[in-house]
C-alpha cells in the first residue's frame, strides 16, 4: 500500500489521518496526538472535542471513532492543522517581536504570522 497521496493543494505527499474537525480552515480546536517518533513521524491526530469523546467512551471504539470521523489528508495539510489548532501558553502579544521573512514577497515582517497560506515561511 502506498504511503503517499495526491493532494490538490500540495501535490504528492505522505498520508496523514486526523479527525474530521481538523480538516479545512479550522482554528483553535486543540491538536491531540501521540508523540511523533522516527517510526511514526505523523501520528493520527484529533481535536479536543474528540479527546473528550474518546475519554467518555473509554478509549477509541466504534462510538468514539464514529464521532471523530477519521479523514485522510496530506502531511502538509496535517502540519497546517497542527499550527492552526495546537494550543500553547504563548499569547499573541508575546509574539509581537517575532521576525519572519515572507516566502511570497521576500520581505521581513514582525508579529505573529496569522495567515499561514504561504508555502515556506522562514523564521529568524
Amino acid at each position: 500500500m502506498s504511503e503517499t497521496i495526491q493532494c490538490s493543494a500540495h501535490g504528492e505527499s505522505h498520508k496523514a489521518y486526523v479527525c474530521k474537525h481538523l480538516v479545512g480552515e479550522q482554528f483553535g480546536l486543540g491538536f491531540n496526538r501521540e508523540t511523533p517518533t522516527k517510526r511514526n513521524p505523523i501520528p493520527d491526530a484529533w481535536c479536543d472535542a474528540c479527546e473528550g469523546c474518546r475519554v467518555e467512551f473509554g478509549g477509541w471504539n466504534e462510538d468514539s471513532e464514529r464521532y471523530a470521523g477519521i479523514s485522510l489528508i496530506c502531511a502538509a495539510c496535517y502540519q497546517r492543522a497542527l499550527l492552526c489548532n495546537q494550543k500553547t501558553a504563548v499569547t499573541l502579544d508575546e509574539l509581537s517581536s517575532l521576525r519572519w521573512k515572507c516566502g511570497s514577497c521576500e520581505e521581513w515582517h514582525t508579529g505573529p504570522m496569522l495567515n499561514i497560506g504561504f508555502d515556506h515561511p522562514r523564521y529568524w
Side-chain angles (χ1 to χ4, degrees), residues 5-68:
I5 61 169
Q6 188 67 29
C7 176
S8 61
H10 303 106
E12 187 173 353
S13 181
H14 288 283
K15 292 180 179 179
Y17 295 93
V18 298
C19 73
K20 65 185 175 187
H21 309 109
L22 295 176
V23 176
E25 302 295 319
Q26 307 304 327
F27 296 92
L29 299 179
F31 196 88
N32 301 276
R33 64 182 178 171
E34 298 293 325
T35 301
T37 63
K38 285 185 179 185
R39 185 178 172 116
N40 187 13
I42 309 172
D44 298 351
W46 56 95
C47 69
D48 287 350
C50 287
E51 175 63 7
C53 182
R54 185 187 71 78
V55 169
E56 183 177 326
F57 284 106
W60 289 118
N61 56 42
E62 187 176 313
D63 293 322
S64 58
E65 288 179 12
R66 182 175 32 253
Y67 178 77

Side-chain angles (χ1 to χ4, degrees), residues 27-108:
F27 296 92
L29 299 179
F31 196 88
N32 301 276
R33 64 182 178 171
E34 298 293 325
T35 301
T37 63
K38 285 185 179 185
R39 185 178 172 116
N40 187 13
I42 309 172
D44 298 351
W46 56 95
C47 69
D48 287 350
C50 287
E51 175 63 7
C53 182
R54 185 187 71 78
V55 169
E56 183 177 326
F57 284 106
W60 289 118
N61 56 42
E62 187 176 313
D63 293 322
S64 58
E65 288 179 12
R66 182 175 32 253
Y67 178 77
I70 300 301
S71 300
L72 173 64
I73 62 175
C74 82
C77 289
Y78 179 96
Q79 289 302 320
R80 184 181 192 289
L82 170 65
L83 290 171
C84 291
N85 291 287
Q86 188 173 26
K87 295 180 179 179
T88 67
V90 178
T91 67
L92 290 176
D93 288 339
E94 292 170 321
L95 297 175
S96 64
S97 63
L98 179 69
R99 187 168 180 247
W100 53 277
K101 187 172 184 179
C102 179
S104 295
C105 70
E106 296 298 321
E107 292 186 23
W108 287 93

